[in-house]
Amino acid sequence: MSSSLHSPLYSSLSSSSALQDRKLRNAVNFAKPNLIFKPGRSFPLIRASAGFSSSLDTGLSTELDAVASHSEIVPDTVIFDDFEKFPPTAGTVSSSLLLGICGLPDTKFKSAVDRALSDSECYGLESSDLQMSCFFNKALAHVGGDLAKLVPGRVSTEVDARLAYDTHGIVRKVHDLLKAYTEIEVPPERLLFKIPATWQGIEASRVLEAEGIQTHLTFVYSFCQAAAAAQAGASVIQIFVGRLRDWSRNHTGDSEVESALRRGEDPGLALVTKTYNYIHKYGHKTKLMAAAVRNKQDVFNLLGVDYIITPLKVLQSLKESVTLPDEKYSFTRRLSPQSAAAFNFTQDELQKWDQYSFSSAMGPASVELLTIGMDGYINQAKRVEELFGKIWPPPNV
């Protein structure tokens, strides 16, 4: 979860006007939350026949039916428009989401923010910085808790990207967030914590997963990030296919990207393929999510990956396309444990990654795109703090 993450969250804003809907869409346009995953291994697929079946009552299958038999197709939903047609299985709570909620005072999620800003525990802290951090944690947890009541799957919570190079800081922040969720009785199995895939973020994931806390590593743009994340035991790895493709069209000098291009492959799709094969060939527990999908052909080329974050316009096209015996596309599973077993890796790719080898392997594409993604998260977080500073304490408290 697409630029970053938006969430099904907005689906509950039934009292908002069309104008308010547009405001909320604009308020969170920078980092669109992806709606994601369900806990455990029993992931019911979101099929066209269940949840958003085709309106063509012909008895024929749709392309959406066909692709959903190979991967979990996850709607990239912004607000509740199309929520009924494409219901999300889970969601993400983030800084950009908090900004959007605060811009719509009539939403039920605004009351979650108000509850957070009136929390007595935060009042008692000595410094304004500690108070603001406490309010921020409580706001994420209260909104995430309300979201967890609306969706059957897990809620992924953004971890402050300003801590991305501080392993201990990330672990402390996740512990604080988990404590805030526990106070409102959201069980840990319903939660993921979304961490940028720096080396320090990956090490934090290793520590947290060892404690039984599920992590979601994002901004993965290179194989060293993906392999290190899998070795750390991350629950979910998110690769942004379209962003890597876009970078390759306007830049040169990244050996991993250029190697894929020389083979005639799309760099983003190639990274997903290699990562999937690595996870399955060597028995890692990690689930793989493909995001920033741009068109139907991307979906077809990703079949077999655990999750495909799919824009609504692509979902609609898949839903409206009936598959016939002489169908144009062959809905073949491109990624499978069998194909993974036959994939060959170099000795360098199979190494036990450490900070030095990781830093050496990070090319300009992954460094630049990781930095851009984190900068966006940081800017959104600062805006939330500025806004909280203006509206705290909330009215009627």
Side-chain angles (χ1 to χ4, degrees):
M1 269 204 151
S2 160
S3 304
S4 292
L5 263 189
H6 290 18
S7 96
L9 209 31
Y10 303 131
S11 63
S12 71
L13 310 182
S14 56
S15 63
S16 303
S17 66
L19 176 59
Q20 288 175 316
D21 294 345
R22 288 195 295 274
K23 285 182 179 178
L24 182 52
R25 186 189 297 276
N26 292 335
V28 297
N29 191 45
F30 175 80
K32 290 172 62 178
N34 307 322
L35 313 178
I36 43 188
F37 10 87
K38 299 190 72 175
R41 297 181 61 85
S42 57
F43 293 91
L45 295 176
I46 305 176
R47 301 175 185 273
S49 58
F52 36 82
S53 60
S54 172
S55 59
L56 300 173
D57 188 17
T58 61
L60 297 174
S61 295
T62 67
E63 289 181 344
L64 186 54
D65 290 307
V67 299
S69 67
H70 298 294
S71 295
E72 183 162 352
I73 307 301
V74 183
D76 190 3
T77 304
V78 181
I79 52 175
F80 70 92
D81 59 331
D82 294 317
F83 184 78
E84 293 300 321
K85 287 191 289 184
F86 303 111
T89 54
T92 298
V93 58
S94 63
S95 301
S96 63
L97 186 53
L98 294 181
L99 287 172
I101 292 168
C102 291
L104 282 177
D106 294 334
T107 74
K108 67 176 292 184
F109 293 99
K110 183 60 167 58
S111 66
V113 174
D114 288 345
R115 292 197 305 273
L117 293 180
S118 62
D119 191 281
S120 59
E121 178 185 348
C122 301
Y123 282 129
L125 298 175
E126 294 180 359
S127 72
S128 59
D129 287 345
L130 288 175
Q131 286 181 342
M132 182 58 70
S133 178
C134 180
F135 287 136
F136 208 139
N137 293 342
K138 301 283 187 178
L140 290 169
H142 278 280
V143 172
D146 284 358
L147 176 56
K149 297 173 184 176
L150 300 178
V151 297
R154 290 181 285 185
V155 174
S156 187
T157 302
E158 176 188 305
V159 175
D160 193 340
R162 288 169 291 191
L163 301 172
Y165 294 100
D166 179 357
T167 296
H168 296 297
I170 294 170
V171 172
R172 285 194 298 270
K173 174 62 73 173
V174 170
H175 286 166
D176 289 345
L177 288 167
L178 186 57
K179 177 176 178 289
Y181 274 112
T182 301
E183 289 170 353
I184 57 173
E185 300 182 342
V186 180
E189 59 268 23
R190 294 291 312 278
L191 301 171
L192 286 151
F193 294 94
K194 192 174 186 182
I195 301 168
T198 59
W199 175 255
Q200 292 80 4
I202 292 168
E203 283 296 285
S205 172
R206 185 191 308 278
V207 172
L208 293 164
E209 291 283 351
E211 297 175 355
I213 299 171
Q214 300 172 110
T215 59
H216 168 192
L217 285 171
T218 189
F219 303 138
V220 174
Y221 296 104
S222 65
F223 180 71
C224 68
Q225 288 176 287
Q231 290 178 4
S235 294
V236 176
I237 295 173
Q238 185 169 354
I239 295 174
F240 294 87
V241 174
R243 295 188 198 176
L244 198 51
R245 176 187 304 151
D246 294 342
W247 190 95
S248 71
R249 289 172 175 168
N250 299 293
H251 303 81
T252 59
D254 188 291
S255 60
E256 190 172 337
V257 168
E258 291 178 355
S259 177
L261 293 174
R262 284 194 298 272
R263 297 192 304 269
E265 299 176 1
D266 176 271
L269 296 172
L271 178 58
V272 171
T273 299
K274 181 182 281 190
T275 301
Y276 177 94
N277 290 337
Y278 180 80
I279 289 169
H280 286 268
K281 185 168 185 173
Y282 298 105
H284 296 288
K285 72 166 191 174
T286 303
K287 298 294 185 181
L288 184 57
M289 172 184 296
V293 168
R294 302 289 167 74
N295 50 57
K296 288 199 299 185
Q297 194 58 53
D298 279 348
V299 175
F300 301 150
N301 287 330
L302 290 164
L303 292 183
V305 74
D306 298 293
Y307 313 105
I308 305 175
I309 305 297
T310 310
L312 296 184
K313 65 179 181 179
V314 176
L315 280 174
Q316 190 65 37
S317 179
L318 290 168
K319 177 184 173 183
E320 293 173 351
S321 299
V322 175
T323 59
L324 301 172
D326 59 346
E327 61 191 7
K328 179 178 180 181
Y329 297 107
S330 176
F331 298 99
T332 303
R333 180 171 178 168
R334 306 299 177 90
L335 303 173
S336 68
Q338 293 74 28
S339 65
F343 193 90
N344 294 318
F345 291 90
T346 67
Q347 285 304 115
D348 281 345
E349 290 168 339
L350 295 178
Q351 67 182 292
K352 176 67 174 177
W353 293 93
D354 58 27
Q355 186 169 4
Y356 176 78
S357 59
F358 179 89
S359 299
S360 301
M362 286 281 284
S366 53
V367 170
E368 182 177 329
L369 291 169
L370 173 63
T371 301
I372 290 171
M374 292 193 302
D375 285 348
Y377 275 16
I378 290 169
N379 289 336
Q380 296 290 333
K382 289 179 178 177
R383 289 180 59 195
V384 170
E385 290 175 343
E386 291 172 1
L387 182 60
F388 281 4
K390 294 175 181 177
I391 65 176
W392 178 84
N396 304 319
V397 173

